Amino acid sequence: MSTLRIEVCLGTSCHLMGAQDIIDAIENLPPDKRSKIDLRGVTCLKTCRKGPNARVNGIILSEITPERILTVIEDNLA
Amino acid sequence: MQVSEVTKIRRKVLAEVSRMALEGDLVENIADILSTVVSEDGPRYRCCVHKERAVLKDRINMALSQPIGTPLTEAAGRALAGERADLPAVNLLPEACDRCPIDKFLVTDACRNCLAHNCIASCPKKAIMVVQNRAYIDKTACIECGMCKRSCAYGAIIEISRPCERACDLKAIVAGSDRRAVIDYDKCVQCGACKVACPFGAISERSDIVQLIQRIKAGHSVYALLAPAFIGQFGPKVRPEQIVGAIGRLGFHSVREVALGADAVALAEAGEFARAVPAEQPYLTTSCCPAFVAMVEKHLPDAGERVSTTVSPMVAAAKTVKEEDPSATVVFIGPCVAKKAEARRYPDLIDFVLTFEELAAMFVGAGLNVAEIEAGAHISVASRDGIGFARAGGVTQAVCDTVAKLAPGAELKPQRAEGLADCLDMLSKMQRGSLDANFLEAMACTGGCVGGPGTMADPRLTAKLLELYAAAAQVAAAPDNPAAKAENDLHRRKNSAG
Ligand code: SF4
Ligand code: SF4
Ligand code: FES
């Protein structure tokens, strides 16, 4: 079974805009879903002014919210 | 502790203001913030883009430490010239206040139009009647005494309060004649709890970042006094050395630990305790939390003499710096909004106060990414207990350890209070002598300083990381710390009002 790779930016700009909330949302997924996600922190995705940013399957998502990352996860795991 | 949309807007404004001040085009570009932060197609939090921009103007004035209503270019010019308006630390942005409903008592669907009608019977103003089979409160007659709520057997009448009012333990927020919230500064102690609570971001603290940036740019020796709660503020992966390194890159001359000031405070406070309790007074309270100290002054002045005369760790650390370098510009960096008010009492010692949030905004404005900073050397010279001041229970531990070492005969019976309601309650009990305690640790914020309104990390996480950081300290308690002893004697509190 393949896993979904999500890289969340932990740089200062993204941190200030709530990157930790994105990480918490993923960490708090039920175990069956959480286990399908390869979560990593990166230090900058070079899109600082549009944070918080995350890269899912190689695509950068900007100004994400916890709700949106969960939707993206649903869509990708379906 | 989720970062809300209003928090994001506030942070964006601070970061943009910092960036412009650093790049030197603040006056020319300040108005751009109105369109970059609230864009035409962005998400809407209020009725229209115009309303959002009106709010934003208030916010920018706050970020520049200028009175609300100052035209933006004028405000920017004044901030660049180093001017700071004489504003309280915590201010209400009138445009942003949504005038949340203040019909305090509300009859809900649970009302069964019972025969007892306790509500009607108990209302001293005859403001309750039955309309369409249900109790109805005549708002023009209601005096909001709450008798109806208390008397209803079904609990069908509920009390609603505004988030800001509810957050203020000292009842310093009232509804003004236009239903907007108003802060009563005779009662307010600038703790910042209301700022965190208002879902419209209508309460904000003033910020001196531009004035500080100008000072740095002018080549002054600017010292950072970093409060121990800084651990983990930039995310659990960022190391303390990286934060210290980044502060240096902003142009600060050096970074000092407030925790070392805390060591000196522990020594002074323990000494004071051993001398005065019980010989001169029945108990002693801490004095490190400025919101608590102000609370005593404004709400329970009779207990004033029980508050330790020791200065706060911020002031202790500042004294050391100013003695070493009288030309120093001293900047406290911490989790606290009330420190902004405390600093105004010590104009000769503290020049600026930044919250961690403001520091982060300055980093972003300067294009500094703490996560990518090469970690320099940062070795703490504070004791484990000094670092521990940042969390609830920390001061008690430090004072207990110090008393045990220096005055082993003294009997210390500690009591703790977190949150201003709790502080007021405990303090009144101690005043009445109804608590078996002779030392009160009083913190306005839940969790202690790590739970302050200027933080960016979950207080529970910060407390854990702090614990680890403290455990790595060279010495456990202040009396073992030669660096702290040297400073001890200077730290009597100035008895000025303000
Ligand atoms: S919570 Fe208070 S300050 Fe905020 S919008 Fe409501 S009434 Fe105004
Ligand atoms: S005391 Fe604290 S919560 Fe109350 S108005 Fe002042 S800053 Fe706000
Ligand atoms: S800090 Fe997140 S993209 Fe640069």
Side-chain angles (χ1 to χ4, degrees):
Chain A
M1 191 196 62
S2 68
T3 56
L4 179 64
R5 177 154 178 183
I6 303 183
E7 293 155 295
V8 177
C9 178
L10 302 176
T12 303
S13 195
C14 290
H15 178 68
L16 197 58
M17 291 301 136
Q20 192 58 42
D21 297 343
I22 310 301
I23 294 179
D24 291 346
I26 301 172
E27 293 285 14
N28 292 329
L29 281 169
D32 59 320
K33 284 210 181 103
R34 177 67 188 86
S35 62
K36 291 182 195 146
I37 294 167
D38 173 15
L39 177 64
R40 297 179 187 200
V42 291
T43 53
C44 186
L45 290 169
K46 308 275 172 263
T47 323
C48 310
R49 290 181 77 169
K50 289 178 152 285
N53 298 301
R55 188 158 52 198
V56 180
N57 278 343
I59 296 165
I60 292 181
L61 304 176
S62 290
E63 291 177 353
I64 41 166
T65 58
E67 298 76 40
R68 227 184 107 214
I69 197 77
L70 295 181
T71 320
V72 170
I73 291 170
E74 285 297 321
D75 294 350
N76 277 275
L77 288 181
Chain B
M1 229 188 67
Q2 278 213 359
V3 178
S4 68
E5 294 304 321
V6 281
T7 301
K8 285 182 196 170
I9 292 180
R10 183 179 67 238
R11 292 177 176 180
K12 275 185 191 157
V13 169
L14 290 170
E16 280 297 278
V17 164
S18 304
R19 187 178 61 78
M20 291 174 186
L22 285 160
E23 287 173 6
D25 52 14
L26 186 73
V27 173
E28 298 85 321
N29 294 340
I30 187 85
D32 292 356
I33 296 182
L34 297 178
S35 47
T36 48
V37 174
V38 178
S39 61
E40 299 284 348
D41 51 353
R44 285 284 89 83
Y45 313 112
R46 299 183 196 267
C47 54
C48 61
V49 78
H50 309 290
K51 173 81 177 165
E52 275 176 32
R53 289 192 181 145
V55 173
L56 204 51
K57 277 190 190 153
D58 290 358
R59 244 181 249 300
I60 297 171
N61 274 319
M62 272 302 118
L64 298 170
S65 224
Q66 300 303 322
I68 282 169
T70 314
L72 293 187
T73 41
E74 186 186 326
R78 288 193 184 164
L80 288 176
E83 283 177 41
R84 297 185 256 182
D86 188 16
L87 293 166
V90 175
N91 296 271
L92 192 105
L93 314 182
E95 277 297 336
C97 175
D98 202 56
R99 312 171 199 208
C100 299
I102 47 165
D103 296 336
K104 259 201 138 165
F105 294 94
L106 195 85
V107 182
T108 65
D109 285 348
C111 173
R112 318 225 4 231
N113 190 17
C114 64
L115 292 180
H117 279 145
N118 289 334
C119 55
I120 295 180
S122 68
C123 177
K125 289 287 164 191
K126 307 214 178 315
I128 304 192
M129 57 209 85
V130 173
V131 175
Q132 288 172 349
N133 262 328
R134 196 206 253 193
Y136 169 83
I137 304 176
D138 173 3
K139 296 287 161 6
T140 57
C142 172
I143 53 163
E144 302 187 340
C145 66
M147 290 304 287
C148 54
K149 178 191 163 201
R150 255 167 277 151
S151 70
C152 174
Y154 297 101
I157 299 180
I158 55 167
E159 183 174 351
I160 311 177
S161 54
R162 296 173 161 199
C164 56
E165 278 183 34
R166 210 178 318 136
C168 181
D169 286 342
L170 301 179
K171 308 213 178 317
I173 300 197
V174 290
S177 51
D178 59 355
R179 291 170 61 107
R180 283 192 171 119
V182 175
I183 299 176
D184 174 355
Y185 289 107
D186 290 337
K187 293 185 178 161
C188 171
V189 299
Q190 329 262 321
C191 68
C194 52
K195 162 196 144 173
V196 178
C198 172
F200 287 91
I203 299 171
S204 196
E205 77 258 34
R206 65 172 151 76
S207 180
D208 300 337
I209 38 180
V210 173
Q211 292 83 346
L212 169 60
I213 288 169
Q214 291 300 94
R215 196 77 73 97
I216 295 174
K217 277 182 154 182
H220 288 260
S221 305
V222 183
Y223 291 68
L225 303 182
L226 191 56
F230 85 102
I231 303 299
Q233 289 298 330
F234 292 82
K237 293 248 162 73
V238 171
R239 303 219 308 278
E241 304 87 89
Q242 290 179 296
I243 302 173
V244 172
I247 295 175
R249 295 269 289 272
L250 273 181
F252 280 81
H253 169 276
S254 76
V255 180
R256 301 293 171 85
E257 291 176 278
V258 176
L260 187 61
D263 273 340
V265 166
L267 289 173
E269 211 154 277
E272 188 177 356
F273 177 86
R275 243 188 344 267
V277 180
E280 290 159 25
Q281 58 189 73
Y283 70 93
L284 182 76
T285 83
T286 54
S287 58
C288 48
C289 171
F292 169 73
V293 173
M295 184 204 86
V296 179
E297 282 165 10
K298 293 186 174 179
H299 295 263
L300 205 60
D302 288 352
E305 303 223 309
R306 309 290 179 243
V307 179
S308 166
T309 56
T310 308
V311 295
S312 70
M314 165 176 88
V315 175
K319 280 188 181 176
T320 312
V321 170
K322 288 269 179 166
E323 248 163 55
E324 189 187 309
D325 177 359
S327 73
T329 293
V330 176
V331 186
F332 174 86
I333 304 175
C336 186
V337 169
K339 288 277 177 210
K340 295 192 180 203
E342 186 190 3
R344 292 250 164 128
R345 296 181 172 204
Y346 298 92
D348 305 335
L349 291 174
I350 320 282
D351 298 283
F352 295 96
V353 171
L354 288 184
T355 61
F356 292 132
E357 179 178 274
E358 289 169 304
L359 176 68
M362 281 179 73
F363 286 153
V364 171
L368 282 168
N369 184 351
V370 183
E372 291 184 331
I373 295 275
E374 290 279 339
H378 163 69
I379 298 160
S380 174
V381 289
S383 75
R384 179 200 68 199
D385 285 358
I387 295 167
F389 259 63
R391 56 161 179 80
V395 188
T396 302
Q397 168 149 31
V399 173
C400 282
D401 289 352
T402 308
V403 167
K405 281 204 171 173
L406 299 184
E411 192 195 3
L412 195 140
K413 288 183 276 183
Q415 175 69 48
R416 277 166 44 188
E418 286 173 50
L420 287 170
D422 199 22
C423 288
L424 198 54
D425 181 46
M426 289 295 172
L427 189 62
S428 333
K429 285 191 180 135
M430 293 192 72
Q431 261 314 70
R432 289 198 302 270
S434 64
L435 269 185
D436 182 28
N438 60 13
F439 181 77
L440 177 67
E441 175 194 296
M443 297 285 182
C445 294
T446 312
C449 305
V450 294
T455 52
M456 296 182 292
D458 185 318
R460 285 163 303 179
L461 182 68
T462 316
K464 258 188 231 148
L465 294 170
L466 189 85
E467 204 87 5
L468 292 174
Y469 183 70
Q474 308 281 325
V475 293
D480 309 329
N481 192 356
K485 266 200 203 133
E487 309 187 3
N488 182 19
D489 292 326
L490 342 151
H491 303 313
R492 286 314 187 81
R493 189 151 50 100
K494 270 209 284 193
N495 282 320
S496 61

